[in-house]
Amino acid sequence: DTAVSQTPKYLVTQMGNDKSIKCEQNLGHDTMYWYKQDSKKFLKIMFSYNNKELIINETVPNRFSPKSPDKAHLNLHINSLELGDSAVYFCASSQDASSGNEQFFGPGTRLTVL
Amino acid sequence: QQQVKQSPQSLIVQKGGISIINCAYENTAFDYFPWYQQFPGKGPALLIAIRPDVSEKKEGRFTISFNKSAKQFSLHIMDSQPGDSATYFCAATPSGSARQLTFGSGTQLTVLP
């Protein structure tokens, strides 16, 4: 009965590889997000989708491509992984994109690029 | 440019003491100010939030104080407990159609037994 789930929890890979992180929410929310948390725990939004439509796209390398097959899923695909991509990636969801709506975060995916 | 500045970076408090974490913002368009709590290995979770039309909000041992003119807000944790040991993030979101959260840099709180 997990609200926001992510797979995998840990991902260790070599530089240059392509990898994907999957996210699913069972809360019936319209809006989903991807955040990156760096080694200093700084949280920064990467993308936001509302009803499968991209509404926020921060300054993120185009090696990162989100995909939302339906409003319950938001996957993150990363091409040509670099050392600096090592971080914890969090998926989150909220009822909609309005201010004041609580964002529910997943457990995170720790990505390590060797 | 960091739009939400948070201090201190780390805080150590004795059990039963008061923990105070401060945040300051620059963007006057911000209209929602939540605090998130993150335990090791977990995602952040909403703790308490405030809008600028009130100066204080209290939920149990947690209180947000808000000073709109100074563009500052703070989290007070009364009677701090070891179970409160976590990283706390202030955040802010502006009015508008795509209301993304901008987080502060986080405060690592340790409550000693």
Side-chain angles (χ1 to χ4, degrees):
Chain A
D1 59 346
T2 305
V4 181
S5 59
Q6 295 178 228
T7 54
K9 187 164 177 62
Y10 299 97
L11 188 52
V12 181
T13 188
Q14 297 287 334
M15 222 168 40
N17 284 349
D18 302 338
K19 291 293 179 185
S20 292
I21 307 172
K22 295 186 176 182
C23 177
E24 176 181 1
Q25 55 94 3
N26 62 6
L27 297 166
H29 288 167
D30 286 344
T31 308
M32 297 184 72
Y33 312 80
W34 277 110
Y35 287 87
K36 178 180 180 180
Q37 186 170 49
D38 63 22
S39 58
K40 295 184 178 180
K41 293 194 175 180
F42 188 68
L43 268 167
K44 185 166 170 54
I45 190 163
M46 300 173 69
F47 302 102
S48 176
Y49 271 73
N50 189 58
N51 272 322
K52 302 194 302 176
E53 186 177 329
L54 182 67
I55 58 171
I56 295 172
N57 184 356
E58 286 298 292
T59 306
V60 176
N62 57 15
R63 298 182 294 103
F64 291 78
S65 53
K67 290 279 184 352
S68 182
D70 55 63
K71 73 175 190 177
H73 296 84
L74 180 61
N75 303 321
L76 183 65
H77 188 76
I78 316 170
N79 289 327
S80 304
L81 277 155
E82 300 178 357
L83 294 175
D85 297 333
S86 294
V88 181
Y89 292 84
F90 287 100
C91 176
S93 73
S94 65
Q95 185 172 350
D96 56 43
S98 303
S99 173
N101 280 320
E102 178 179 357
Q103 290 190 20
F104 293 81
F105 284 77
T109 296
R110 181 174 294 277
L111 171 65
T112 303
V113 182
L114 303 174
Chain B
Q1 180 184 5
Q2 188 179 352
Q3 294 194 55
V4 181
K5 295 184 178 179
Q6 183 172 347
S7 63
Q9 187 175 355
S10 62
L11 181 61
I12 299 175
V13 174
Q14 292 285 341
K15 179 183 175 182
I18 302 173
S19 304
I20 302 174
I21 304 170
N22 300 300
C23 284
Y25 63 97
E26 299 165 0
N27 188 347
T28 54
F30 287 148
D31 69 352
Y32 175 67
F33 302 86
W35 285 87
Y36 278 77
Q37 179 188 53
Q38 184 180 25
F39 292 104
K42 305 289 186 184
L46 180 66
L47 185 64
I48 186 172
I50 197 168
R51 290 199 180 274
D53 52 346
V54 295
S55 60
E56 186 175 283
K57 184 173 181 180
K58 183 176 181 180
E59 290 184 2
R61 297 184 294 109
F62 300 92
T63 301
I64 300 178
S65 296
F66 187 85
N67 185 332
K68 187 174 180 179
S69 60
K71 292 188 284 186
Q72 295 175 348
F73 57 111
S74 60
L75 176 69
H76 292 62
I77 306 175
M78 311 299 288
D79 187 27
S80 298
Q81 299 296 313
D84 296 331
S85 297
T87 301
Y88 291 81
F89 294 93
C90 62
T93 188
S95 57
S97 58
R99 300 173 182 182
Q100 63 189 71
L101 278 173
T102 298
F103 282 92
S105 53
T107 296
Q108 175 72 53
L109 172 65
T110 302
V111 181
L112 301 175

